[in-house]
Amino acid sequence: MPDRNASPKGPTGSGQKIEDFVADARGLQPEEFEDRHGTGFLLLTASGFKLDAGSSSTEMILLADSDDAAARTAGVRVLVFPIRASESSHTHLITVGRTSNNDVTIPDISISRFHAYFKRSETGFQVLDAGSTNGTTVNGESAPTQGSGSPLDLKPGDSVRLGLMEMTFLDAAALREFTLQFDR
């Protein structure tokens, strides 16, 4: 079971395998699940990860629409990136980037060292680009940089692209439900 206060920064950055959430999704009430794991998440789905020890990027083989997904399901990997501040965070903004000094670390070369900000709002989460090289989008709409427009609101199921990494935003209820479906 992942430690809710831990901020792992291994080869998958702060991402955790979906399997790490199964026992809690089965055993905890929805409120307890949210208390333990947080309220917002980015899901990255790929059919395989190739981590090169000498590089700062992750090579992934993505499932194409034309692929026979059923034949390749055994190789599918789902990483969950909890959107939460680290213990050392000194601001209300949650930082995302490829280096370990961010609250959320996604080690891919297409993601800037300091790429985007997430912030809590009355309705959930919002995102702003941090002036990244490859941009941030939500459902194809570019996120403004801080000070140049209103942040984009996120809702469960939204497609969030950071650099070349396409992810899905989920709240705690949606992650819990997805985890229960994934475990079947």
Side-chain angles (χ1 to χ4, degrees), residues 10 22 126:
V22 170
Q126 298 177 315

Side-chain angles (χ1 to χ4, degrees), residues 115-117 127-132 136-138 141-153:
H115 195 95
Y117 301 96
V127 65
L128 286 164
D129 190 75
S132 67
T136 302
T137 64
V138 176
E141 181 181 351
S142 292
T145 56
Q146 188 173 23
S148 70
S150 297
L152 298 179
D153 290 317

Side-chain angles (χ1 to χ4, degrees), residues 1-5 16-43 80-84 120 170-183:
M1 163 172 59
D3 177 352
R4 71 178 180 190
N5 295 317
Q16 299 168 253
K17 293 183 227 170
I18 190 74
E19 294 86 356
D20 294 344
F21 294 85
V22 170
D24 285 350
R26 272 198 240 134
L28 298 176
Q29 293 299 313
E31 302 79 25
E32 295 171 311
F33 184 87
E34 185 175 307
D35 286 345
R36 177 165 294 166
H37 297 290
T39 57
F41 307 88
L42 292 173
L43 263 61
V80 178
F81 292 88
I83 303 170
R84 61 181 170 208
R120 294 184 192 276
L170 294 179
D171 62 12
L175 176 65
R176 185 174 178 271
E177 183 63 31
F178 178 78
T179 302
L180 292 170
Q181 297 298 316
F182 185 83
D183 186 43

Side-chain angles (χ1 to χ4, degrees), residues 23-183:
D24 285 350
R26 272 198 240 134
L28 298 176
Q29 293 299 313
E31 302 79 25
E32 295 171 311
F33 184 87
E34 185 175 307
D35 286 345
R36 177 165 294 166
H37 297 290
T39 57
F41 307 88
L42 292 173
L43 263 61
L44 175 65
T45 306
S47 63
F49 296 94
K50 180 180 176 187
L51 302 172
D52 181 357
S55 172
S56 61
S57 68
T58 305
E59 180 182 331
M60 285 179 277
I61 305 162
L62 299 177
L63 293 173
D65 291 337
S66 62
D67 283 348
D68 180 6
R72 299 182 65 187
T73 305
V76 171
R77 305 282 190 274
V78 178
L79 284 181
V80 178
F81 292 88
I83 303 170
R84 61 181 170 208
S86 64
E87 291 178 12
S88 61
S89 187
H90 300 289
T91 177
H92 70 286
L93 299 173
I94 300 166
T95 62
V96 179
R98 78 169 183 263
T99 58
S100 63
N101 61 331
N102 287 286
D103 298 313
V104 180
T105 304
I106 305 171
D108 186 82
I109 198 78
S110 73
I111 295 177
S112 295
R113 286 186 283 266
F114 175 44
H115 195 95
Y117 301 96
F118 285 88
K119 67 182 207 171
R120 294 184 192 276
S121 70
E122 293 176 8
T123 58
F125 282 91
Q126 298 177 315
V127 65
L128 286 164
D129 190 75
S132 67
T133 301
N134 293 317
T136 302
T137 64
V138 176
N139 300 325
E141 181 181 351
S142 292
T145 56
Q146 188 173 23
S148 70
S150 297
L152 298 179
D153 290 317
L154 295 172
K155 60 186 178 309
D158 279 349
S159 174
V160 177
R161 181 180 286 266
L162 301 168
L164 298 176
M165 305 301 289
E166 186 82 28
M167 293 173 262
T168 303
F169 172 78
L170 294 179
D171 62 12
L175 176 65
R176 185 174 178 271
E177 183 63 31
F178 178 78
T179 302
L180 292 170
Q181 297 298 316
F182 185 83
D183 186 43

